[in-house]
Amino acid sequence: MKRILIALLVAACSTSSPPPPVNENFAITAADAIPGQAAAGDPVTLSWSTAEAERATLAGIGGQPAEVPVNGSLVVRPTATTVYTLTVYNKPGLAPASLTARMFARVRGLTSVGGFIATPPEILQGESSTLSWNGNATRYSITDGTTGAMLELGPRRVVVVRPSVSTTYTLTAVGPGGALANPPKTLVTVRQNPATGLKYDPPAIAAPLRLVAICQTPGCTCDSPPCTSVTFKILATTAVQLRGAALNLPLDLTKVSFAESSFGLPLESPMAAAVSKATLGSGALQDVLVIGIALKGSSTAPAQDVPLNAGDELAHFTLALLSGSGAGRAFDGASPAATAGSPFKASIQSASGRATNSIAVGTLKAE
């Protein structure tokens, strides 16, 4: 009798419930957040659809699940990137009991700017100040509070300004997070230091060509202001063979002005037939006087070199002092070619090739 009872107990313990049947059609068929990225507080639409679900809940990060339709949508306005978890439940007694899907509502960071300063914050009229800042924007612009002019800077975070009077500058910015909400301002204080004339210091270096100055103001010399208009001539210092020349001369256009009509080549020069032009550049050559002179070649051969003798003029142009400008350098040819990134160029072209630093340039000051 004992053996029969033990056998019955073992049989009872080895018996288990069968697994629940699997619902093959139970599924989350779609779960999306549109748009995939938005500014903080902008609407994002969550949408989802399911198959053979009994009920569904939706929860954000740190939030309690809330009942939602098994098929539906919901507009949310997240202020930070948020993951929304959709949980759907199967009919009772069927497997799997539940399924989950995550919907990512990504929020772009707000556009921010900091440390907008002027260095130095106070200058003499004619001097410059550097505006600098940091930020995560992709496009910046500076507005001059005195003239109302706007300077588009792209992604640059530094710019040099030369105000003639005390000026407040406003920085605006645009980034993935939209426009900067509160554009910062900074003040550059200008102490008046007006210039009355121009003074040219001749170059100290030797070169085949040389920039010399002739004052156009009666009764003055170029080394003694007030000379308010100066004509510059490019003269040969020695016999030289050439077929072209180029001079890129950075100018402070808050101090001097240039008229294209003042540029020319002497009619008696061997280079008189050359193609020539002088203009103020743009882009990378912004605020640069760009002079190009070149003899024309033929379809089969380059132009031949022509001789210039010592004292012969290659070209001339005139710069004039701007009314109300401050004291300081209008251009400096003493060392810009050695400065990394400088647009300065002073070269000649001949059968031997291009020779750089072949035009000696001095320094023009407004005093």
Side-chain angles (χ1 to χ4, degrees):
M1 187 69 179
K2 271 185 183 180
R3 291 179 180 176
I4 295 172
L5 181 58
I6 290 170
L8 289 172
L9 289 171
V10 170
C13 290
S14 63
T15 303
S16 60
S17 301
V22 175
N23 183 353
E24 300 286 353
N25 297 322
F26 176 51
I28 298 174
T29 55
D32 296 301
I34 300 174
Q37 190 176 67
D42 280 1
V44 175
T45 299
L46 309 178
S47 60
W48 61 91
S49 60
T50 67
E52 298 194 9
E54 181 76 4
R55 63 186 185 90
T57 62
L58 183 67
I61 291 179
Q64 293 298 316
E67 294 285 339
V68 292
V70 293
N71 299 295
S73 63
L74 179 67
V75 175
V76 294
R77 295 178 178 271
T79 57
T81 296
T82 304
V83 180
Y84 295 89
T85 302
L86 175 72
T87 303
V88 295
Y89 298 90
N90 209 341
K91 293 179 173 59
L94 298 180
S98 64
L99 298 171
T100 61
R102 291 178 174 85
M103 293 173 278
F104 292 83
R106 293 178 174 84
V107 173
R108 297 189 295 264
L110 293 175
T111 300
S112 63
V113 166
F116 183 40
I117 59 172
T119 307
E122 182 175 322
I123 60 173
L124 280 174
Q125 183 184 7
E127 294 180 342
S128 65
S129 179
T130 299
L131 307 182
S132 61
W133 60 93
N134 53 64
N136 63 359
T138 56
R139 192 170 74 250
Y140 299 96
S141 60
I142 294 287
T143 301
D144 183 318
T146 300
T147 65
M150 177 179 287
L151 180 62
E152 297 288 349
L153 299 171
R156 286 190 293 149
R157 293 192 290 271
V158 62
V159 65
V160 175
V161 294
R162 294 182 176 86
S164 57
V165 296
S166 296
T167 300
T168 297
Y169 294 92
T170 302
L171 174 66
T172 55
V174 177
L180 184 65
N182 297 299
K185 300 177 185 290
T186 193
L187 172 66
V188 178
T189 301
V190 178
R191 289 183 286 126
Q192 293 303 300
N193 183 33
T196 59
L198 297 170
K199 179 183 177 183
Y200 182 64
D201 295 330
I205 63 171
L209 299 175
R210 180 182 179 92
L211 190 68
V212 301
I214 301 172
C215 185
Q216 298 300 304
T217 303
C220 78
T221 62
C222 291
D223 59 358
S224 177
C227 188
T228 57
S229 181
V230 179
T231 292
F232 293 91
K233 292 186 176 183
I234 303 174
L235 301 182
T237 60
T238 184
V240 60
Q241 299 279 332
L242 75 166
R243 63 183 63 168
L247 176 62
N248 289 357
L249 186 59
L251 299 177
D252 183 344
L253 294 176
T254 68
K255 296 179 177 61
V256 293
S257 63
F258 166 73
E260 291 189 14
S261 59
S262 72
F263 171 75
L265 277 60
L267 296 177
E268 68 278 8
S269 169
M271 294 288 290
V275 177
S276 62
K277 186 174 178 63
T279 189
L280 293 174
S282 60
L285 294 177
Q286 184 77 31
D287 298 341
V288 176
L289 175 58
V290 181
I291 297 176
I293 305 168
L295 288 170
K296 284 185 177 180
S298 68
S299 59
T300 57
Q304 297 298 306
D305 290 353
V306 297
L308 285 183
N309 297 316
D312 286 350
E313 178 188 336
L314 175 63
H316 58 264
F317 61 91
T318 299
L319 298 177
L321 178 70
L322 282 176
S323 176
S325 68
R329 291 180 180 178
F331 69 70
D332 184 2
S335 60
T339 304
S342 171
F344 179 85
K345 178 169 65 175
S347 63
I348 60 174
Q349 184 77 33
S350 68
S352 301
R354 179 179 289 108
T356 60
N357 300 322
S358 294
I359 306 172
V361 178
T363 302
L364 180 67
K365 301 173 185 176
E367 295 186 342

